[in-house]
């Protein structure tokens, strides 16, 4: 009931007494000790602050504790500022966080496929497992006879499920170069990274003398020249003028023994061909003689297959000149360009260069070599110097620009 309604329904003398009386608000609350507390005028300001917005708009008399409410609404609707709906806190991950989670899941899958032999996850199939399910990559499987984890003797089971999971995982994941442990900083998609890895300067190789059993060193390609200089397991011919050929000689055994009577295959030291431009090809000459009296001369290169296809070489064998024969020594490095004798007969091969990891059978099958018999080589021999060889190396780019 409003004050207007109250004024019309109450007798005048009662109304006068009500208007003269003071209505004191006493708000009774339970204290921590269960007692009732009355807020006086000292707390009236804080009391008003607790009243909702629309009720604060009502008129209050300035007399402490006295309210002259003209109209009291029957239904109070709070202002918008008093309505504070709690916002739902949704843990919705951002797109970057979602991508990071997916990347982590893929790397976890790859870690489960880590080969226990090389401690790397495979980049391609096949993948094998033992009878207990332990995985081994296709590169290491032919090298072992038992599982390195459980010692099971059968590691020949092909795991097609693991190969499929590997293929799906590698489609869209960024990985470091497989030679990162050697210092390579390149990263990329796994599906494209193999293009870089095939020509990476940090990839692991074997010493050029590995094929003759003289050196078992394996290491980064960037460490090849320091290794050869230190261990002397290969001859290094350096030319200052890149347009000149690499020329040297090979000698026979000392005293009464001769290579022509050997019943086993003879391998001479590989010869690294180095100039200011050709050093990046890591090309070297290989020379050998079989017990059947067959001689093979060919050039290999440590560079990638695409570049090897553009390399051309010319290998020439002839009678050693006087300067070449007198300069023949056991030194592993030669910087002398020997003069040639054009009046003598010579044999030569002009053609492509072989990839460094091609087997001798592959080299012979491809025909990229110079072949001679004992009877042909003997006509070149002079004292203990068997023959003189000359190697030319060139690079046929699209512009047909020669490198050496």
């Amino acid at each position: 009931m409003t004050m207007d309604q109250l004024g019309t329904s109450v007798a005048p003398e009662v109304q006068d007494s009500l208007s003269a009386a003071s209505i004191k608000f006493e708000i009774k609350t339970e204290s921590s000790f269960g007692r009732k507390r009355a807020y006086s005028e000292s707390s009236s300001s804080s009391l008003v602050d607790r009243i909702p917005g629309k009720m604060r708009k009502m008129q209050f008399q300035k007399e402490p504790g006295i309210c002259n409410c003209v109209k009291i609404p029957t239904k109070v609707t709070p202002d918008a500022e008093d309505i504070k709906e709690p916002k739902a806190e949704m843990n919705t991950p951002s797109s970057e966080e979602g991508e990071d989670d997916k990347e982590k899941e893929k790397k976890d899958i790859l870690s489960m496929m880590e080969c226990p032999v090389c401690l790397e996850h495979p980049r391609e199939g096949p993948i094998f497992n033992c009878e207990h399910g332990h995985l081994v990559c296709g590169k290491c499987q032919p090298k072992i006879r038992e599982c390195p984890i459980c010692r099971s003797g059968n590691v020949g089971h092909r795991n097609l499920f693991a190969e499929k999971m590997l293929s799906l995982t590698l489609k869209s994941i960024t990985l470091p170069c497989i030679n990162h442990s050697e210092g390579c900083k390149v990263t990329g998609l796994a599906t494209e990274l193999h293009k870089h890895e095939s020509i990476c300067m940090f990839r692991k190789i074997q010493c050029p003398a590995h094929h003759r059993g003289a050196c078992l060193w394996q290491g980064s390609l960037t460490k090849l020249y320091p290794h050869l200089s230190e261990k002397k397991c290969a001859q290094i011919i350096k030319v200052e003028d890149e347009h000149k050929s690499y020329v040297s000689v090979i000698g026979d055994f000392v005293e009464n023994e001769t290579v022509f009577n050997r019943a086993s295959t003879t391998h001479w030291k590989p010869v690294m061909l180095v100039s200011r431009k050709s050093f990046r090809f890591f090309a070297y000459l290989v020379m050998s003689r079989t017990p059947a009296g067959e001689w093979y001369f060919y050039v290999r290169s440590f560079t990638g297959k695409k570049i090897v296809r553009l390399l051309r070489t010319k290998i020439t064998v002839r009678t050693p000149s006087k300067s070449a024969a007198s300069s023949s020594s056991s030194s592993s490095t030669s910087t002398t360009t020997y003069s040639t004798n054009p009046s003598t007969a010579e044999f030569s091969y002009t053609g492509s260069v072989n990839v460094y990891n091609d087997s001798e059978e592959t080299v012979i099958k491809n025909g990229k070599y110079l072949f001679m018999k004992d009877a042909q080589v003997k006509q070149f021999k002079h004292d203990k110097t068997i023959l003189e060889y000359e190697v030319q190396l060139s690079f046929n780019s699209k512009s047909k620009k020669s490198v050496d």
Side-chain angles (χ1 to χ4, degrees):
M1 180 179 294
T2 65
M3 293 297 294
D4 294 337
Q5 294 171 343
L6 182 64
T8 56
S9 60
V10 180
E13 61 274 10
V14 178
Q15 184 177 357
D16 294 337
S17 62
L18 287 175
S19 60
S22 61
I23 303 173
K24 185 178 292 186
F25 289 147
E26 183 180 5
I27 301 175
K28 301 176 180 180
T29 59
E30 290 289 338
S31 66
S32 58
F33 300 101
R35 297 178 179 178
K36 297 181 181 180
R37 181 186 302 171
Y39 289 90
S40 61
E41 56 182 336
S42 61
S43 61
S44 61
S45 59
S46 62
L47 195 61
V48 173
D49 293 337
R50 301 185 184 181
I51 301 175
K54 280 192 175 182
M55 294 187 69
R56 287 201 299 267
K57 295 178 182 178
M58 296 180 181
Q59 296 180 359
F60 287 85
Q61 285 190 358
K62 295 183 179 179
E63 296 184 21
I66 303 301
C67 176
N68 186 18
C69 298
V70 178
K71 186 175 181 180
I72 300 177
T74 57
K75 184 177 181 181
V76 178
T77 304
D79 287 341
E81 62 182 13
D82 299 310
I83 303 176
K84 296 182 179 179
E85 295 182 357
K87 295 182 179 180
E89 297 181 359
M90 300 180 64
N91 296 325
T92 304
S94 62
S95 58
E96 294 182 357
E97 291 177 350
E99 291 177 359
D100 292 342
D101 291 341
K102 291 181 180 179
E103 192 85 359
K104 184 178 182 301
E105 289 178 2
K106 292 177 181 179
K107 289 183 179 181
D108 289 342
I109 293 175
L110 291 179
S111 65
M112 289 188 292
M113 297 185 184
E114 181 182 281
C115 175
V117 180
C118 62
L119 301 180
E120 296 281 350
H121 61 75
R123 297 293 181 90
E124 58 184 1
I127 300 177
F128 298 89
N129 65 264
C130 69
E131 57 188 7
H132 295 117
H134 301 127
L135 301 179
V136 178
C137 72
K139 293 182 179 180
C140 295
Q141 190 268 344
K143 304 176 185 178
I144 60 175
R145 296 182 178 180
E146 60 181 17
C147 175
I149 298 177
C150 65
R151 303 304 176 188
S152 172
N154 189 351
V155 199
H157 300 286
R158 186 86 174 266
N159 195 318
L160 300 180
F161 176 77
E163 293 176 14
K164 185 66 175 178
M165 286 295 298
L166 177 67
S167 177
L168 294 174
T169 304
L170 292 179
K171 281 184 177 180
S172 58
I173 186 172
T174 301
L175 296 173
C177 172
I178 198 171
N179 306 302
H180 63 90
S181 61
E182 295 292 334
C184 184
K185 304 298 184 182
V186 175
T187 60
L189 292 176
T191 53
E192 301 177 357
L193 202 56
H194 69 279
K195 298 177 183 178
H196 158 76
E197 292 172 346
S198 63
I199 59 173
C200 178
M201 289 294 294
F202 294 90
R203 68 186 185 276
K204 291 182 180 180
I205 60 167
Q206 294 177 325
C207 177
H210 176 80
H211 72 285
R212 60 193 291 255
C215 181
L216 302 180
W217 176 84
Q218 295 186 16
S220 171
L221 184 58
T222 58
K223 301 176 182 177
L224 175 62
Y225 285 134
H227 163 73
L228 297 178
S229 299
E230 179 185 355
K231 299 299 182 182
K232 313 296 183 186
C233 46
Q235 182 182 358
I236 301 177
I237 298 181
K238 300 177 182 178
V239 294
E240 297 299 329
D241 187 350
E242 61 268 17
H243 299 289
K244 290 186 177 181
S245 304
Y246 306 90
V247 184
S248 188
V249 297
I250 59 174
D252 203 352
F253 294 107
V254 295
E255 299 178 356
N256 297 326
E257 188 178 0
T258 176
V259 69
F260 296 99
N261 296 331
R262 295 203 68 181
S264 59
T265 300
T266 303
H267 294 277
W268 280 266
K269 282 185 177 182
V271 181
M272 297 297 300
L273 311 173
V274 181
S275 72
R276 288 183 297 174
K277 292 186 178 180
S278 68
F279 77 93
R280 66 182 184 274
F281 300 134
F282 297 92
Y284 60 98
L285 175 68
V286 177
M287 300 172 287
S288 64
R289 177 194 176 273
T290 68
E294 299 172 338
W295 293 68
Y296 294 91
F297 303 81
Y298 54 89
V299 175
R300 294 181 183 268
S301 173
F302 280 108
T303 191
K305 290 184 178 181
K306 290 185 178 180
I307 298 179
V308 168
R309 296 193 192 104
L310 301 176
L311 286 175
R312 302 279 291 178
T313 186
K314 181 179 180 180
I315 305 171
T316 305
V317 175
R318 62 173 69 93
T319 300
S321 62
K322 292 183 180 180
S323 59
S326 61
S327 302
S328 177
S329 66
S330 59
S331 176
S332 62
T333 302
S334 174
T335 57
T336 306
T337 301
Y338 300 105
S339 61
T340 58
N341 186 353
S343 63
T344 61
E346 60 183 29
F347 295 89
S348 64
Y349 159 80
T350 302
S352 303
V353 173
N354 298 277
V355 181
Y356 78 96
N357 54 1
D358 281 345
S359 64
E360 291 187 359
E361 291 77 11
T362 302
V363 172
I364 294 174
K365 180 180 179 180
N366 293 336
K368 301 177 182 179
Y369 60 91
L370 170 63
F371 175 79
M372 298 177 67
K373 296 286 287 186
D374 273 349
Q376 296 168 311
V377 176
K378 284 180 179 179
Q379 63 179 313
F380 299 141
K381 185 178 179 183
H382 179 76
D383 293 334
K384 287 296 181 179
T385 304
I386 298 177
L387 55 83
E388 175 184 302
Y389 61 85
E390 177 184 1
V391 182
Q392 298 175 356
L393 192 63
S394 61
F395 181 72
N396 294 330
S397 63
K398 294 181 179 179
S399 61
K400 306 297 182 183
K401 183 179 179 181
S402 178
V403 174
D404 252 328

